[in-house]
């Protein structure tokens, strides 16, 4: 029997009691973007499922990423061959970035509008966000990629920037794990300057990123600050801390920090300079790995369960890193990275499908939770497999 991912008794009770709470203090979001989304949501047909909006936005991000990858696989096109990426690609990137951002912003509003808000919808949304965060950044790197070494962003700088962005995203959900409230980072809305960056690139070319902008600094330096955004405020933890135990509060950070350490060791000590030779594969693997770790943190937060100390991904990664830095892989290091990246991606997709499937089976159409003398009971609607029947409502004991 395969392991249950979210449907343990404690986890199911946690999901049943869960409610969404978020705080957005970004003026750009409150005074500009939210009024725009409130108008856009009115034209969305009521019959469209909110999760369809979420998934459509994610697909657009993927399409844009793979399109840019086709023209700029090794992150050198902008620096060495400025005309290699057609202008229409940058304009298409601006369009898909705006659409993905808009769809991600209105899916929750549409769910509340159609009275179909569920914990599964939030889990689906935030799970895809954890992956989309890295894809957004990896796509943008093609705009300001390195050239002959004098200007542009090197692959090592890309790795640092990506790690900081992912760390910022992780900290927001770590805050939520400890406080029950999602304090949205300012970088979420400010990062939409990427739309303007793509439009600027399409209008004047990638050369604009290769020239100093002000006081010897490049535009990319300012954009990186905007991408990183406002870091989490520690005062939130003091005001609304759920756990008094320092160990319990810091437990979700163990696996992400170990993951970053292992990946950094591979980057620094790789005999074959793996990041420079296969930057797109390596950075993609970094984004997928962090997404899987953060997804488990999100599930633990929503289900009020305790996260595992060591994520399963750390063990095979440690073996690969050891084999690489010790020279055991030799010339096969790039091939092993490709296979490992494919396996990690497949495992992450499989994990997501299993989580959604289990949530649908355990919580689909639930009506209420009741406490009886002999345990906790759940009113559950079971759709009929026969086309002539609508189904039945039954009581299911989920805790003794």
């Amino acid at each position: 029997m395969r392991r249950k991912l979210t449907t343990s008794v404690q986890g199911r009770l946690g999901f049943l009691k869960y409610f969404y709470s978020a705080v957005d203090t970004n003026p750009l979001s409150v005074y500009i973007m939210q009024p725009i989304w409130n108008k856009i949501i009115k034209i969305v047909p009521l019959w469209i499922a909110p999760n369809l909006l979420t998934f459509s936005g994610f697909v657009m991000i993927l399409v844009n990423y793979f399109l840019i990858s086709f023209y700029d696989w090794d992150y050198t096109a902008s620096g060495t061959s400025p005309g290699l990426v057609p202008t229409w690609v940058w304009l298409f990137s601006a369009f898909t970035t705006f659409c993905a951002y808009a769809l991600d912003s209105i899916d929750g509003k549409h769910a509340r509008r159609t009275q179909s808000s569920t914990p599964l919808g939030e889990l689906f949304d935030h799970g895809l966000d954890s992956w989309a965060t890295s894809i957004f950044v990896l796509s943008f790197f093609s705009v300001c990629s390195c050239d002959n070494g004098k200007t542009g962003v090197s692959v090592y700088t890309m790795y640092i920037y990506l790690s900081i962005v992912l760390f910022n995203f992780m900290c927001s959900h770590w805050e939520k794990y400890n406080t029950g409230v999602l304090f949205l980072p300012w970088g979420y809305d400010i990062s939409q300057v990427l739309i303007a960056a793509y439009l600027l690139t399409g209008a004047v070319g990638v050369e604009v990123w290769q020239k100093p902008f002000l006081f010897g600094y490049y535009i990319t330096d300012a954009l990186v600050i905007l991408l990183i955004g406002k870091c989490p405020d520690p005062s939130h933890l003091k005001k609304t801390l759920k756990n008094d135990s320092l160990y319990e509060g810091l437990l979700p950070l163990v696996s992400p920090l170990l993951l970053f350490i292992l990946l950094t060791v591979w980057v620094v000590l790789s005999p074959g300079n793996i990041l420079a030779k296969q930057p797109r594969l390596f950075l993609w693997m970094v984004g997928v790995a962090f997404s899987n770790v953060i997804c488990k943190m999100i599930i633990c937060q929503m289900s009020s369960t305790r996260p595992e100390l060591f994520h399963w991904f750390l063990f095979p990664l440690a073996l690969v890193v050891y084999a690489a830095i010790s020279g055991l892989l030799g010339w096969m290091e790039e091939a092993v990275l490709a296979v490992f990246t494919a396996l990690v991606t497949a495992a992450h997709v499989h994990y997501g499908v299993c989580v959604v499937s289990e949530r649908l089976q355990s919580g689909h159409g639930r009506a209420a939770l009741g406490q009886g003398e002999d345990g906790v009971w759940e009113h559950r609607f079971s759709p009929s497999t026969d086309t002539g029947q609508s189904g039945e409502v039954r009581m299911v004991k989920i805790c003794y």
Side-chain angles (χ1 to χ4, degrees):
M1 180 181 295
R2 65 186 178 89
R3 178 187 176 188
K4 296 295 183 182
L5 302 174
T6 67
T7 53
S8 65
V9 171
Q10 182 182 359
R12 288 161 66 187
L13 286 173
F15 271 108
L16 287 169
K17 297 176 182 178
Y18 174 79
F19 65 93
Y20 179 63
S21 178
V23 175
D24 189 357
T25 60
N26 183 4
L28 176 62
S29 172
V30 175
Y31 298 108
I32 299 178
M33 303 311 301
Q34 290 299 330
I36 294 177
W37 307 141
N38 290 334
K39 292 184 178 182
I40 292 179
I41 193 62
K42 294 179 180 179
I43 65 176
V44 179
L46 294 176
W47 55 265
I48 292 182
N51 287 342
L52 179 61
L53 299 178
T54 306
F55 187 69
S56 298
F58 181 73
V59 170
M60 296 189 77
I61 298 172
L62 280 179
V63 170
N64 180 60
Y65 173 80
F66 289 122
L67 176 63
I68 294 179
S69 300
F70 176 77
Y71 288 99
D72 182 27
W73 175 256
D74 55 359
Y75 289 115
T76 58
S78 295
T80 58
S81 305
L84 185 60
V85 181
T87 300
W88 69 266
V89 172
W90 303 125
L91 299 179
F92 180 77
S93 297
F95 171 75
T96 55
T97 300
F98 174 79
C99 290
Y101 178 47
L103 291 171
D104 184 56
S105 299
I106 68 174
D107 54 2
K109 295 179 181 293
H110 185 61
R112 291 184 289 273
R113 177 174 171 239
T114 57
Q115 298 182 352
S116 56
S117 298
T118 63
L120 175 60
E122 181 188 341
L123 178 60
F124 189 66
D125 183 14
H126 291 172
L128 290 182
D129 284 345
S130 69
W131 196 353
T133 299
S134 64
I135 301 176
F136 267 128
V137 178
L138 296 181
S139 297
F140 176 71
F141 281 158
S142 288
V143 170
C144 51
S145 56
C146 58
D147 58 354
N148 55 9
K150 296 182 180 180
T151 59
V153 178
S154 70
V155 292
Y156 298 100
T157 305
M158 291 179 187
Y159 172 70
I160 294 174
Y161 287 166
L162 176 62
S163 299
I164 293 175
V165 170
L166 293 174
F167 177 78
N168 194 20
F169 183 91
M170 178 200 68
C171 283
S172 296
H173 287 277
W174 174 64
E175 273 189 327
K176 189 183 178 187
Y177 173 84
N178 283 285
T179 65
V181 180
L182 178 61
F183 297 92
L184 296 173
W186 284 23
Y188 176 73
D189 288 289
I190 297 177
S191 63
Q192 295 317 301
V193 296
L194 294 182
I195 300 172
Y198 285 129
L199 292 175
L200 178 64
T201 305
V204 301
V206 295
E207 292 83 2
V208 68
W209 306 99
Q210 311 293 344
K211 300 175 182 178
F213 174 66
L214 187 65
F215 301 116
Y217 291 96
Y218 296 85
I219 300 180
T220 51
D221 297 326
L223 287 179
V224 166
I225 297 176
L226 295 178
L227 278 175
I228 295 172
K230 180 179 179 291
C231 292
D233 186 356
S235 64
H236 298 155
L237 299 178
K238 297 179 181 179
K239 297 176 182 178
T240 56
L241 192 63
K242 293 168 58 179
N243 297 316
D244 295 331
S245 170
L246 180 63
Y247 173 79
E248 294 293 336
L250 296 178
L251 184 60
L253 297 180
V254 174
S255 288
L257 292 178
L258 289 177
L259 176 63
F260 173 74
I261 292 173
L262 286 173
L263 292 171
T264 303
V265 168
W266 194 356
V267 168
V268 175
L269 301 181
S270 171
N273 203 3
I274 191 65
L275 182 58
K277 289 185 177 179
Q278 292 293 342
R280 191 167 289 276
L281 272 181
F282 193 92
L283 295 177
W284 171 270
M285 183 265 293
V286 171
V288 175
F290 266 96
S291 176
N292 194 268
V293 172
I294 294 172
C295 279
K296 294 201 172 185
M297 182 192 299
I298 294 173
I299 290 175
C300 290
Q301 183 275 318
M302 294 182 65
S303 60
S304 298
T305 55
R306 185 182 186 185
E308 55 192 3
L309 181 60
F310 299 112
H311 190 279
W312 69 268
F313 176 72
L314 296 173
F315 300 102
L317 176 63
L319 292 176
V320 172
V321 171
Y322 172 77
I325 65 177
S326 64
L328 294 177
L329 297 181
W331 59 271
M332 296 179 60
E333 186 176 7
E334 292 183 50
V336 171
L337 171 64
V339 174
F340 188 67
T341 301
L343 292 176
V344 169
T345 304
H348 186 47
V349 173
H350 175 72
Y351 176 74
V353 172
C354 289
V355 168
V356 172
S357 177
E358 288 186 5
R359 288 308 309 148
L360 287 173
Q361 293 175 9
S362 64
H364 178 68
R366 72 174 187 271
L369 180 70
Q371 178 72 47
E373 294 182 357
D374 56 345
V376 180
W377 292 77
E378 179 184 0
H379 297 269
R380 184 176 302 172
F381 174 73
S382 301
S384 175
T385 56
D386 300 327
T387 57
Q389 301 179 4
S390 60
E392 61 176 355
V393 177
R394 57 194 176 94
M395 297 289 292
V396 180
K397 183 180 288 187
I398 62 176
C399 184
Y400 295 88

